[in-house]
Short mmCIF file of all heavy atoms in Angstrom, two decimals:
data_model
loop_
_atom_site.label_atom_id
_atom_site.label_comp_id
_atom_site.label_asym_id
_atom_site.label_seq_id
_atom_site.Cartn_x
_atom_site.Cartn_y
_atom_site.Cartn_z
N MET A 20 39.07 -97.41 55.51
CA MET A 20 37.82 -97.09 56.04
C MET A 20 37.24 -98.10 56.98
O MET A 20 37.35 -99.36 56.66
CB MET A 20 36.86 -96.74 54.85
CG MET A 20 35.48 -96.19 55.37
SD MET A 20 34.59 -95.44 53.87
CE MET A 20 32.96 -95.81 54.26
N PHE A 21 36.59 -97.79 57.96
CA PHE A 21 36.09 -98.54 58.93
C PHE A 21 34.64 -98.24 59.21
O PHE A 21 34.27 -97.13 59.54
CB PHE A 21 36.87 -98.59 60.22
CG PHE A 21 36.35 -99.30 61.45
CD1 PHE A 21 36.44 -100.68 61.41
CD2 PHE A 21 35.81 -98.74 62.62
CE1 PHE A 21 35.98 -101.47 62.45
CE2 PHE A 21 35.31 -99.35 63.59
CZ PHE A 21 35.39 -100.82 63.67
N THR A 22 33.69 -99.24 59.05
CA THR A 22 32.33 -98.84 59.31
C THR A 22 31.71 -99.89 60.30
O THR A 22 31.90 -101.09 60.15
CB THR A 22 31.44 -99.00 57.97
OG1 THR A 22 31.96 -98.02 57.06
CG2 THR A 22 30.02 -98.58 58.27
N GLN A 23 31.03 -99.35 61.30
CA GLN A 23 30.36 -100.19 62.28
C GLN A 23 29.05 -99.65 62.74
O GLN A 23 28.99 -98.38 62.97
CB GLN A 23 31.25 -100.37 63.59
CG GLN A 23 30.64 -101.32 64.60
CD GLN A 23 31.66 -101.41 65.77
OE1 GLN A 23 32.60 -100.62 65.85
NE2 GLN A 23 31.22 -102.30 66.71
N THR A 24 28.01 -100.41 62.69
CA THR A 24 26.69 -99.89 63.15
C THR A 24 26.42 -100.48 64.55
O THR A 24 26.60 -101.66 64.79
CB THR A 24 25.51 -100.54 62.15
OG1 THR A 24 25.86 -99.92 60.78
CG2 THR A 24 24.16 -99.94 62.61
N ILE A 25 26.02 -99.60 65.44
CA ILE A 25 25.78 -99.83 66.89
C ILE A 25 24.38 -99.41 67.23
O ILE A 25 23.90 -98.55 66.56
CB ILE A 25 26.86 -99.39 67.77
CG1 ILE A 25 26.93 -97.98 67.79
CG2 ILE A 25 28.24 -99.95 67.47
CD1 ILE A 25 27.74 -97.29 68.83
N VAL A 26 23.83 -100.06 68.30
CA VAL A 26 22.73 -99.50 68.86
C VAL A 26 23.07 -99.24 70.37
O VAL A 26 23.14 -100.11 71.13
CB VAL A 26 21.42 -100.65 68.79
CG1 VAL A 26 20.25 -100.08 69.54
CG2 VAL A 26 21.26 -101.00 67.34
N PRO A 27 23.25 -97.90 70.65
CA PRO A 27 23.77 -97.50 71.98
C PRO A 27 22.60 -97.81 73.09
O PRO A 27 21.44 -97.63 72.69
CB PRO A 27 24.07 -96.09 71.88
CG PRO A 27 23.24 -95.65 70.71
CD PRO A 27 23.11 -96.66 69.74
N LYS A 28 23.07 -98.25 74.22
CA LYS A 28 22.22 -98.36 75.29
C LYS A 28 22.08 -97.24 76.22
O LYS A 28 21.31 -97.15 77.09
CB LYS A 28 22.64 -99.65 76.10
CG LYS A 28 22.92 -100.85 75.38
CD LYS A 28 21.44 -101.50 75.05
CE LYS A 28 21.58 -102.81 74.40
NZ LYS A 28 21.37 -103.04 73.12
N SER A 29 23.07 -96.26 76.05
CA SER A 29 23.07 -94.94 76.88
C SER A 29 23.61 -93.81 75.87
O SER A 29 24.03 -94.16 74.65
CB SER A 29 23.78 -95.08 78.08
OG SER A 29 25.33 -95.23 77.75
N ASN A 30 23.67 -92.79 76.44
CA ASN A 30 24.29 -91.52 75.68
C ASN A 30 25.76 -91.55 75.63
O ASN A 30 26.44 -90.60 75.13
CB ASN A 30 23.71 -90.26 76.01
CG ASN A 30 24.16 -89.88 77.51
OD1 ASN A 30 24.65 -90.70 78.19
ND2 ASN A 30 23.78 -88.78 77.88
N LYS A 31 26.47 -92.59 76.33
CA LYS A 31 27.91 -92.54 76.27
C LYS A 31 28.33 -93.92 75.52
O LYS A 31 27.84 -95.04 75.89
CB LYS A 31 28.59 -92.68 77.64
CG LYS A 31 28.27 -91.39 78.47
CD LYS A 31 28.93 -91.36 79.81
CE LYS A 31 28.65 -90.13 80.67
NZ LYS A 31 29.33 -90.11 81.88
N VAL A 32 29.20 -93.75 74.63
CA VAL A 32 29.63 -94.91 73.69
C VAL A 32 31.06 -94.98 73.72
O VAL A 32 31.79 -93.94 73.50
CB VAL A 32 29.06 -94.79 72.28
CG1 VAL A 32 29.47 -95.94 71.38
CG2 VAL A 32 27.45 -94.72 72.39
N THR A 33 31.71 -96.15 73.81
CA THR A 33 33.19 -96.43 73.62
C THR A 33 33.20 -97.32 72.46
O THR A 33 32.63 -98.33 72.41
CB THR A 33 33.69 -96.97 74.88
OG1 THR A 33 33.41 -96.11 76.06
CG2 THR A 33 35.15 -97.27 74.83
N ILE A 34 34.19 -96.90 71.57
CA ILE A 34 34.41 -97.75 70.42
C ILE A 34 35.82 -98.20 70.34
O ILE A 34 36.72 -97.59 70.84
CB ILE A 34 34.15 -96.81 69.02
CG1 ILE A 34 35.02 -95.62 68.92
CG2 ILE A 34 32.74 -96.48 69.08
CD1 ILE A 34 35.06 -95.14 67.48
N LYS A 35 36.06 -99.33 69.76
CA LYS A 35 37.42 -99.88 69.59
C LYS A 35 37.80 -99.89 68.10
O LYS A 35 37.11 -100.34 67.22
CB LYS A 35 37.41 -101.33 69.96
CG LYS A 35 38.69 -102.01 69.86
CD LYS A 35 38.78 -103.39 70.54
CE LYS A 35 39.98 -104.11 70.39
NZ LYS A 35 41.28 -103.46 70.85
N LEU A 36 38.85 -99.16 67.86
CA LEU A 36 39.25 -98.92 66.45
C LEU A 36 40.32 -99.88 66.07
O LEU A 36 40.93 -100.34 66.91
CB LEU A 36 39.94 -97.49 66.36
CG LEU A 36 38.98 -96.29 66.59
CD1 LEU A 36 39.73 -94.93 66.61
CD2 LEU A 36 37.79 -96.37 65.55
N PRO A 37 40.42 -100.14 64.77
CA PRO A 37 41.49 -101.05 64.28
C PRO A 37 42.83 -100.63 64.75
O PRO A 37 43.11 -99.32 64.86
CB PRO A 37 41.42 -101.03 62.88
CG PRO A 37 40.01 -100.65 62.57
CD PRO A 37 39.63 -99.87 63.63
N ASP A 38 43.88 -101.44 64.86
CA ASP A 38 45.25 -101.11 65.28
C ASP A 38 45.97 -100.07 64.40
O ASP A 38 46.66 -99.33 64.82
CB ASP A 38 46.13 -102.44 65.52
CG ASP A 38 45.64 -103.21 66.70
OD1 ASP A 38 45.04 -102.69 67.59
OD2 ASP A 38 45.95 -104.28 66.71
N ASN A 39 45.67 -100.23 63.07
CA ASN A 39 46.28 -99.43 62.17
C ASN A 39 45.78 -97.96 62.14
O ASN A 39 46.30 -97.07 61.42
CB ASN A 39 46.37 -99.99 60.59
CG ASN A 39 44.79 -100.12 60.19
OD1 ASN A 39 43.79 -100.07 60.94
ND2 ASN A 39 44.62 -100.29 58.99
N PHE A 40 44.76 -97.54 62.88
CA PHE A 40 44.21 -96.30 63.14
C PHE A 40 45.05 -95.53 64.09
O PHE A 40 44.92 -94.38 64.20
CB PHE A 40 42.79 -96.31 63.47
CG PHE A 40 41.80 -96.62 62.29
CD1 PHE A 40 42.25 -97.24 61.10
CD2 PHE A 40 40.55 -95.97 62.35
CE1 PHE A 40 41.25 -97.46 60.17
CE2 PHE A 40 39.67 -96.24 61.29
CZ PHE A 40 40.08 -96.83 60.21
N VAL A 41 45.89 -96.17 64.92
CA VAL A 41 46.59 -95.58 66.01
C VAL A 41 47.65 -94.62 65.41
O VAL A 41 48.31 -94.94 64.49
CB VAL A 41 47.30 -96.62 66.91
CG1 VAL A 41 48.16 -96.00 67.91
CG2 VAL A 41 46.15 -97.48 67.65
N GLY A 42 47.60 -93.41 65.82
CA GLY A 42 48.58 -92.45 65.44
C GLY A 42 48.16 -91.57 64.13
O GLY A 42 48.75 -90.82 63.59
N GLU A 43 46.87 -92.02 63.56
CA GLU A 43 46.33 -91.40 62.34
C GLU A 43 45.34 -90.42 62.83
O GLU A 43 44.67 -90.46 63.92
CB GLU A 43 45.79 -92.40 61.43
CG GLU A 43 46.74 -93.63 60.99
CD GLU A 43 47.75 -92.95 59.93
OE1 GLU A 43 47.42 -91.92 59.34
OE2 GLU A 43 48.73 -93.54 59.89
N ALA A 44 44.95 -89.50 61.89
CA ALA A 44 43.88 -88.56 62.11
C ALA A 44 42.53 -89.31 61.69
O ALA A 44 42.46 -89.73 60.62
CB ALA A 44 43.98 -87.23 61.21
N VAL A 45 41.75 -89.38 62.77
CA VAL A 45 40.44 -90.17 62.59
C VAL A 45 39.33 -89.26 62.76
O VAL A 45 39.32 -88.42 63.63
CB VAL A 45 40.39 -91.32 63.58
CG1 VAL A 45 39.00 -91.96 63.49
CG2 VAL A 45 41.58 -92.14 63.45
N ARG A 46 38.30 -89.26 61.77
CA ARG A 46 37.14 -88.51 61.86
C ARG A 46 36.00 -89.46 62.28
O ARG A 46 35.78 -90.37 61.56
CB ARG A 46 36.84 -87.74 60.60
CG ARG A 46 35.49 -87.08 60.67
CD ARG A 46 35.35 -86.33 59.30
NE ARG A 46 36.37 -85.38 59.13
CZ ARG A 46 36.47 -84.76 57.87
NH1 ARG A 46 35.58 -84.85 57.01
NH2 ARG A 46 37.59 -83.93 57.82
N LEU A 47 35.30 -89.18 63.24
CA LEU A 47 34.04 -89.89 63.72
C LEU A 47 32.72 -89.07 63.26
O LEU A 47 32.68 -87.85 63.58
CB LEU A 47 34.04 -90.22 65.16
CG LEU A 47 35.25 -90.96 65.69
CD1 LEU A 47 35.18 -91.04 67.23
CD2 LEU A 47 35.15 -92.30 65.12
N ILE A 48 31.99 -89.80 62.71
CA ILE A 48 30.59 -89.04 62.30
C ILE A 48 29.49 -89.99 62.86
O ILE A 48 29.39 -91.17 62.52
CB ILE A 48 30.55 -88.91 60.75
CG1 ILE A 48 31.56 -87.97 60.22
CG2 ILE A 48 29.07 -88.30 60.37
CD1 ILE A 48 31.74 -87.94 58.79
N ALA A 49 28.50 -89.42 63.57
CA ALA A 49 27.40 -90.12 64.15
C ALA A 49 26.13 -89.79 63.29
O ALA A 49 25.71 -88.65 63.13
CB ALA A 49 27.18 -89.84 65.49
N LEU A 50 25.51 -90.83 62.65
CA LEU A 50 24.26 -90.56 61.95
C LEU A 50 23.26 -91.53 62.52
O LEU A 50 23.66 -92.75 62.92
CB LEU A 50 24.40 -90.99 60.46
CG LEU A 50 25.51 -90.21 59.73
CD1 LEU A 50 25.67 -90.88 58.36
CD2 LEU A 50 25.00 -88.73 59.56
N VAL A 51 22.05 -91.18 62.55
CA VAL A 51 20.89 -91.96 62.86
C VAL A 51 20.48 -92.72 61.60
O VAL A 51 19.92 -92.02 60.68
CB VAL A 51 19.72 -91.24 63.65
CG1 VAL A 51 18.63 -92.10 63.89
CG2 VAL A 51 20.46 -90.65 64.89
N GLU A 52 20.42 -93.97 61.52
CA GLU A 52 19.97 -94.65 60.39
C GLU A 52 18.52 -95.17 60.63
O GLU A 52 18.19 -95.93 61.61
CB GLU A 52 20.87 -95.91 59.98
CG GLU A 52 22.20 -95.48 59.66
CD GLU A 52 22.93 -96.76 59.33
OE1 GLU A 52 22.68 -97.85 59.66
OE2 GLU A 52 24.13 -96.55 58.75
N LYS A 53 17.60 -94.67 59.81
CA LYS A 53 16.16 -95.16 59.88
C LYS A 53 15.83 -95.98 58.78
O LYS A 53 16.21 -95.74 57.54
CB LYS A 53 15.20 -93.94 60.03
CG LYS A 53 15.52 -93.13 61.21
CD LYS A 53 14.47 -92.05 61.38
CE LYS A 53 14.72 -91.16 62.56
NZ LYS A 53 13.86 -90.13 62.68
N PRO A 54 15.17 -97.18 58.94
CA PRO A 54 14.78 -97.95 57.77
C PRO A 54 13.74 -97.17 56.83
O PRO A 54 12.90 -96.43 57.41
CB PRO A 54 14.20 -99.26 58.55
CG PRO A 54 13.80 -98.68 59.88
CD PRO A 54 14.64 -97.68 60.28
N GLU A 55 14.05 -97.27 55.69
CA GLU A 55 13.07 -96.68 54.73
C GLU A 55 11.74 -97.28 54.55
O GLU A 55 11.80 -98.62 54.38
CB GLU A 55 13.86 -96.60 53.42
CG GLU A 55 15.05 -95.73 53.24
CD GLU A 55 15.64 -95.59 51.89
OE1 GLU A 55 14.98 -96.00 50.99
OE2 GLU A 55 16.81 -95.19 51.85
N GLN A 56 10.85 -96.72 54.67
CA GLN A 56 9.45 -97.19 54.40
C GLN A 56 9.19 -97.32 52.90
O GLN A 56 9.29 -96.28 52.11
CB GLN A 56 8.37 -96.35 55.15
CG GLN A 56 8.51 -96.24 56.68
CD GLN A 56 8.37 -97.60 57.26
OE1 GLN A 56 7.57 -98.47 56.79
NE2 GLN A 56 9.13 -97.79 58.32
N PRO A 57 8.80 -98.37 52.30
CA PRO A 57 8.55 -98.34 50.94
C PRO A 57 7.24 -97.61 50.57
O PRO A 57 6.35 -97.55 51.38
CB PRO A 57 8.25 -99.82 50.59
CG PRO A 57 7.81 -100.49 51.87
CD PRO A 57 8.56 -99.57 52.95
N GLU A 58 7.37 -96.89 49.53
CA GLU A 58 6.17 -96.03 49.10
C GLU A 58 5.01 -97.00 48.58
O GLU A 58 5.23 -97.85 47.84
CB GLU A 58 6.60 -95.16 47.92
CG GLU A 58 7.66 -93.93 48.32
CD GLU A 58 7.97 -93.13 47.22
OE1 GLU A 58 7.11 -93.09 46.19
OE2 GLU A 58 8.93 -92.42 47.22
N VAL A 59 3.93 -96.67 48.95
CA VAL A 59 2.76 -97.37 48.62
C VAL A 59 2.28 -96.78 47.19
O VAL A 59 1.90 -95.70 47.10
CB VAL A 59 1.56 -97.28 49.60
CG1 VAL A 59 0.35 -98.09 49.15
CG2 VAL A 59 2.01 -97.79 50.86
N ALA A 60 2.37 -97.69 46.29
CA ALA A 60 1.94 -97.29 44.87
C ALA A 60 0.44 -97.16 44.73
O ALA A 60 -0.36 -98.03 45.21
CB ALA A 60 2.53 -98.14 43.80
N GLU A 61 -0.01 -96.14 44.09
CA GLU A 61 -1.45 -95.92 43.86
C GLU A 61 -1.82 -96.93 42.68
O GLU A 61 -1.08 -97.19 41.96
CB GLU A 61 -1.77 -94.45 43.42
CG GLU A 61 -1.62 -93.35 44.37
CD GLU A 61 -2.11 -92.01 43.90
OE1 GLU A 61 -3.36 -91.83 43.67
OE2 GLU A 61 -1.33 -91.38 43.37
N SER A 62 -3.06 -97.30 42.69
CA SER A 62 -3.50 -98.18 41.46
C SER A 62 -3.47 -97.15 40.25
O SER A 62 -3.60 -95.99 40.39
CB SER A 62 -4.81 -98.67 41.78
OG SER A 62 -5.80 -97.64 41.83
N THR A 63 -3.33 -97.71 39.15
CA THR A 63 -3.21 -96.98 37.86
C THR A 63 -4.49 -96.11 37.82
O THR A 63 -4.43 -94.96 37.33
CB THR A 63 -3.05 -97.94 36.67
OG1 THR A 63 -2.05 -98.73 36.98
CG2 THR A 63 -2.82 -97.22 35.36
N SER A 64 -5.66 -96.75 37.95
CA SER A 64 -6.79 -95.94 37.78
C SER A 64 -7.04 -94.75 38.69
O SER A 64 -7.40 -93.66 38.37
CB SER A 64 -8.05 -96.73 37.85
OG SER A 64 -8.22 -97.32 39.16
N ASP A 65 -6.60 -95.09 39.88
CA ASP A 65 -6.57 -93.84 40.92
C ASP A 65 -5.63 -92.90 40.62
O ASP A 65 -5.90 -91.49 40.61
CB ASP A 65 -6.32 -94.39 42.33
CG ASP A 65 -7.41 -95.14 42.82
OD1 ASP A 65 -8.51 -95.12 42.38
OD2 ASP A 65 -7.09 -95.99 43.85
N ALA A 66 -4.52 -93.11 40.03
CA ALA A 66 -3.40 -92.17 39.71
C ALA A 66 -3.83 -91.27 38.47
O ALA A 66 -3.80 -90.01 38.44
CB ALA A 66 -2.09 -92.92 39.36
N VAL A 67 -4.52 -92.00 37.42
CA VAL A 67 -4.92 -91.21 36.37
C VAL A 67 -6.15 -90.37 36.85
O VAL A 67 -6.18 -89.14 36.51
CB VAL A 67 -5.43 -92.15 35.30
CG1 VAL A 67 -6.27 -91.52 34.25
CG2 VAL A 67 -4.34 -92.88 34.71
N SER A 68 -6.95 -90.75 37.69
CA SER A 68 -8.13 -90.04 38.14
C SER A 68 -7.55 -88.74 38.94
O SER A 68 -8.19 -87.69 38.68
CB SER A 68 -9.07 -90.72 39.00
OG SER A 68 -9.67 -91.84 38.32
N ASN A 69 -6.71 -88.99 39.81
CA ASN A 69 -6.20 -87.82 40.63
C ASN A 69 -5.38 -86.83 39.72
O ASN A 69 -5.52 -85.64 40.08
CB ASN A 69 -5.22 -88.33 41.61
CG ASN A 69 -6.00 -89.17 42.77
OD1 ASN A 69 -7.15 -89.00 42.94
ND2 ASN A 69 -5.24 -90.03 43.41
N ARG A 70 -4.76 -87.28 38.70
CA ARG A 70 -3.97 -86.37 37.98
C ARG A 70 -4.82 -85.39 37.17
O ARG A 70 -4.56 -84.34 36.78
CB ARG A 70 -3.00 -87.20 37.01
CG ARG A 70 -2.18 -86.31 36.18
CD ARG A 70 -1.11 -86.94 35.39
NE ARG A 70 -0.24 -87.45 36.43
CZ ARG A 70 0.95 -87.86 36.15
NH1 ARG A 70 1.50 -87.83 34.87
NH2 ARG A 70 1.80 -88.26 37.11
N TYR A 71 -5.93 -86.05 36.49
CA TYR A 71 -6.72 -85.37 35.50
C TYR A 71 -8.13 -84.90 35.98
O TYR A 71 -8.82 -84.19 35.35
CB TYR A 71 -6.91 -86.35 34.22
CG TYR A 71 -5.70 -86.57 33.55
CD1 TYR A 71 -5.06 -87.87 33.56
CD2 TYR A 71 -5.00 -85.47 32.76
CE1 TYR A 71 -3.85 -87.95 32.93
CE2 TYR A 71 -3.93 -85.77 32.16
CZ TYR A 71 -3.42 -87.04 32.13
OH TYR A 71 -2.09 -87.32 31.63
N ALA A 72 -8.28 -84.94 37.29
CA ALA A 72 -9.49 -84.55 37.91
C ALA A 72 -9.55 -82.97 37.97
O ALA A 72 -10.65 -82.39 38.00
CB ALA A 72 -9.52 -84.98 39.37
N LYS A 73 -8.50 -82.27 37.74
CA LYS A 73 -8.45 -80.81 37.82
C LYS A 73 -9.01 -80.12 36.42
O LYS A 73 -9.25 -79.07 36.39
CB LYS A 73 -7.15 -80.29 38.17
CG LYS A 73 -5.97 -80.65 37.29
CD LYS A 73 -4.72 -80.17 37.86
CE LYS A 73 -3.54 -80.60 37.09
NZ LYS A 73 -2.30 -80.33 37.53
N TYR A 74 -8.85 -81.08 35.41
CA TYR A 74 -9.34 -80.41 34.10
C TYR A 74 -10.77 -80.68 33.86
O TYR A 74 -11.35 -81.65 34.37
CB TYR A 74 -8.46 -81.19 32.99
CG TYR A 74 -7.07 -81.03 33.13
CD1 TYR A 74 -6.17 -82.08 33.46
CD2 TYR A 74 -6.46 -79.92 32.80
CE1 TYR A 74 -4.82 -81.77 33.60
CE2 TYR A 74 -5.02 -79.64 32.90
CZ TYR A 74 -4.24 -80.66 33.23
OH TYR A 74 -2.99 -80.40 33.41
N PRO A 75 -11.42 -79.74 33.22
CA PRO A 75 -12.88 -79.82 32.92
C PRO A 75 -13.10 -80.89 31.95
O PRO A 75 -12.38 -81.35 31.10
CB PRO A 75 -13.31 -78.48 32.26
CG PRO A 75 -11.94 -77.99 31.79
CD PRO A 75 -10.91 -78.41 32.68
N ARG A 76 -14.29 -81.60 32.22
CA ARG A 76 -14.70 -82.65 31.33
C ARG A 76 -15.42 -82.22 30.12
O ARG A 76 -16.13 -81.04 30.08
CB ARG A 76 -15.72 -83.64 32.09
CG ARG A 76 -14.98 -84.42 33.14
CD ARG A 76 -15.94 -85.28 33.83
NE ARG A 76 -15.32 -86.12 34.86
CZ ARG A 76 -14.87 -87.34 34.69
NH1 ARG A 76 -15.10 -88.05 33.62
NH2 ARG A 76 -14.26 -88.05 35.65
N VAL A 77 -15.05 -82.72 28.95
CA VAL A 77 -15.71 -82.31 27.69
C VAL A 77 -16.59 -83.50 27.17
O VAL A 77 -16.06 -84.55 26.96
CB VAL A 77 -14.63 -81.92 26.70
CG1 VAL A 77 -15.27 -81.47 25.33
CG2 VAL A 77 -13.67 -80.82 27.14
N ASP A 78 -17.83 -83.10 26.69
CA ASP A 78 -18.73 -84.16 26.10
C ASP A 78 -18.34 -84.39 24.67
O ASP A 78 -18.50 -83.38 23.88
CB ASP A 78 -20.12 -83.73 26.39
CG ASP A 78 -21.11 -84.75 25.83
OD1 ASP A 78 -20.72 -85.94 25.73
OD2 ASP A 78 -22.35 -84.43 25.47
N LEU A 79 -17.84 -85.51 24.42
CA LEU A 79 -17.46 -85.79 23.01
C LEU A 79 -18.49 -86.92 22.37
O LEU A 79 -18.21 -87.47 21.31
CB LEU A 79 -16.05 -86.47 22.97
CG LEU A 79 -15.05 -85.54 23.41
CD1 LEU A 79 -13.66 -86.18 23.36
CD2 LEU A 79 -14.92 -84.19 22.55
N SER A 80 -19.60 -87.01 22.98
CA SER A 80 -20.63 -87.88 22.44
C SER A 80 -21.15 -87.62 21.08
O SER A 80 -21.53 -88.38 20.34
CB SER A 80 -21.67 -88.20 23.37
OG SER A 80 -22.51 -86.96 23.64
N THR A 81 -21.16 -86.18 20.73
CA THR A 81 -21.65 -85.76 19.49
C THR A 81 -20.56 -85.55 18.46
O THR A 81 -20.99 -85.09 17.28
CB THR A 81 -22.62 -84.57 19.63
OG1 THR A 81 -21.66 -83.51 20.19
CG2 THR A 81 -23.69 -84.89 20.49
N PHE A 82 -19.35 -85.88 18.88
CA PHE A 82 -18.18 -85.53 17.92
C PHE A 82 -18.21 -86.57 16.75
O PHE A 82 -18.34 -87.78 16.96
CB PHE A 82 -16.85 -85.72 18.76
CG PHE A 82 -15.56 -85.37 17.93
CD1 PHE A 82 -15.22 -84.14 17.58
CD2 PHE A 82 -14.78 -86.44 17.57
CE1 PHE A 82 -14.17 -83.89 16.87
CE2 PHE A 82 -13.74 -86.16 16.79
CZ PHE A 82 -13.36 -84.94 16.44
N LYS A 83 -17.96 -86.03 15.63
CA LYS A 83 -17.87 -87.01 14.46
C LYS A 83 -16.52 -86.75 13.77
O LYS A 83 -16.09 -85.60 13.60
CB LYS A 83 -18.99 -86.54 13.39
CG LYS A 83 -20.47 -86.51 13.97
CD LYS A 83 -20.97 -87.86 13.57
CE LYS A 83 -22.42 -87.94 13.86
NZ LYS A 83 -22.88 -88.39 15.22
N PHE A 84 -15.85 -87.78 13.47
CA PHE A 84 -14.57 -87.76 12.83
C PHE A 84 -14.65 -88.30 11.45
O PHE A 84 -15.10 -89.51 11.14
CB PHE A 84 -13.56 -88.50 13.72
CG PHE A 84 -12.08 -88.53 13.12
CD1 PHE A 84 -11.45 -87.30 13.09
CD2 PHE A 84 -11.69 -89.54 12.40
CE1 PHE A 84 -10.11 -87.28 12.61
CE2 PHE A 84 -10.49 -89.55 11.96
CZ PHE A 84 -9.64 -88.47 12.01
N ASP A 85 -14.28 -87.56 10.48
CA ASP A 85 -14.41 -88.10 9.08
C ASP A 85 -12.81 -88.33 8.55
O ASP A 85 -12.13 -87.48 8.42
CB ASP A 85 -14.93 -87.03 8.13
CG ASP A 85 -15.21 -87.63 6.68
OD1 ASP A 85 -14.71 -88.73 6.41
OD2 ASP A 85 -15.63 -86.80 5.86
N ARG A 86 -12.43 -89.57 8.55
CA ARG A 86 -11.13 -90.00 8.26
C ARG A 86 -10.79 -89.47 6.83
O ARG A 86 -9.59 -88.96 6.66
CB ARG A 86 -10.86 -91.39 8.42
CG ARG A 86 -9.44 -91.89 8.21
CD ARG A 86 -9.38 -93.40 8.44
NE ARG A 86 -9.89 -93.80 9.72
CZ ARG A 86 -9.13 -93.85 10.87
NH1 ARG A 86 -7.92 -93.46 10.86
NH2 ARG A 86 -9.55 -94.22 11.97
N ASP A 87 -11.61 -89.65 5.95
CA ASP A 87 -11.23 -89.28 4.48
C ASP A 87 -11.15 -87.77 4.42
O ASP A 87 -10.18 -87.19 3.67
CB ASP A 87 -12.43 -89.64 3.61
CG ASP A 87 -12.55 -91.14 3.53
OD1 ASP A 87 -11.47 -91.82 3.48
OD2 ASP A 87 -13.72 -91.55 3.22
N GLU A 88 -11.86 -86.95 5.26
CA GLU A 88 -11.68 -85.40 5.18
C GLU A 88 -10.29 -85.15 5.88
O GLU A 88 -9.56 -84.16 5.45
CB GLU A 88 -12.80 -84.93 5.94
CG GLU A 88 -12.66 -83.26 5.91
CD GLU A 88 -13.83 -82.67 6.78
OE1 GLU A 88 -14.80 -83.30 6.96
OE2 GLU A 88 -13.63 -81.42 7.07
N ALA A 89 -9.97 -85.75 7.05
CA ALA A 89 -8.64 -85.61 7.66
C ALA A 89 -7.51 -85.80 6.75
O ALA A 89 -6.43 -85.25 6.95
CB ALA A 89 -8.61 -86.27 8.98
N ASN A 90 -7.63 -86.81 5.93
CA ASN A 90 -6.53 -87.29 5.12
C ASN A 90 -6.41 -86.70 3.76
O ASN A 90 -5.53 -87.02 2.93
CB ASN A 90 -6.37 -88.81 4.99
CG ASN A 90 -6.15 -89.47 6.34
OD1 ASN A 90 -5.24 -88.98 7.12
ND2 ASN A 90 -6.78 -90.58 6.53
N ASP A 91 -7.29 -85.81 3.37
CA ASP A 91 -7.42 -85.20 2.05
C ASP A 91 -6.48 -83.90 2.18
O ASP A 91 -6.89 -82.71 2.69
CB ASP A 91 -8.86 -84.77 1.80
CG ASP A 91 -9.04 -84.30 0.31
OD1 ASP A 91 -8.03 -84.46 -0.44
OD2 ASP A 91 -10.04 -83.65 0.13
N PHE A 92 -5.40 -84.07 1.55
CA PHE A 92 -4.41 -82.91 1.54
C PHE A 92 -4.41 -82.16 0.31
O PHE A 92 -3.62 -81.25 0.15
CB PHE A 92 -3.00 -83.45 1.74
CG PHE A 92 -2.80 -84.17 3.06
CD1 PHE A 92 -2.47 -85.58 3.16
CD2 PHE A 92 -2.78 -83.50 4.36
CE1 PHE A 92 -2.39 -86.18 4.41
CE2 PHE A 92 -2.57 -84.05 5.41
CZ PHE A 92 -2.37 -85.44 5.53
N SER A 93 -5.24 -82.45 -0.57
CA SER A 93 -5.30 -81.70 -1.90
C SER A 93 -6.22 -80.46 -1.81
O SER A 93 -6.85 -80.08 -0.92
CB SER A 93 -5.62 -82.56 -2.99
OG SER A 93 -6.91 -83.03 -2.82
#
């Protein structure tokens, strides 16, 4: 396998292949390589706010939890 990255100056390109490719079936594939842009991570608080903003808010200020009642299995 032979890999070479070039930046062409025109729409015509000439390549030089290794000598051991002479007489062999060679496949040329042209791809445009673009540098990947790193994803900008949201801050944790923004990510949580965006994810749960669609759910209605519930007022739990009057909620009372009785641990003894919750753990009474008899």
Side-chain angles (χ1 to χ4, degrees):
M20 185 168 149
F21 174 72
T22 303
Q23 181 179 8
T24 302
I25 61 169
V26 179
K28 304 286 190 253
S29 69
N30 63 349
K31 293 182 181 182
V32 177
T33 303
I34 61 169
K35 179 170 174 56
L36 297 174
D38 292 336
N39 60 343
F40 280 29
V41 175
E43 300 288 337
V45 177
R46 177 181 299 175
L47 300 175
I48 300 174
L50 299 172
V51 176
E52 295 179 348
K53 294 184 180 180
E55 293 183 16
Q56 298 294 329
E58 293 183 19
V59 178
E61 290 184 83
S62 69
T63 306
S64 61
D65 290 342
V67 170
S68 297
N69 292 338
R70 177 171 297 197
Y71 294 105
K73 61 185 173 187
Y74 299 110
R76 293 182 177 257
V77 178
D78 181 20
L79 297 176
S80 62
T81 59
F82 180 74
K83 303 269 191 262
F84 179 75
D85 184 358
R86 185 177 305 276
D87 294 328
E88 181 183 341
N90 290 324
D91 187 16
F92 297 112
S93 54

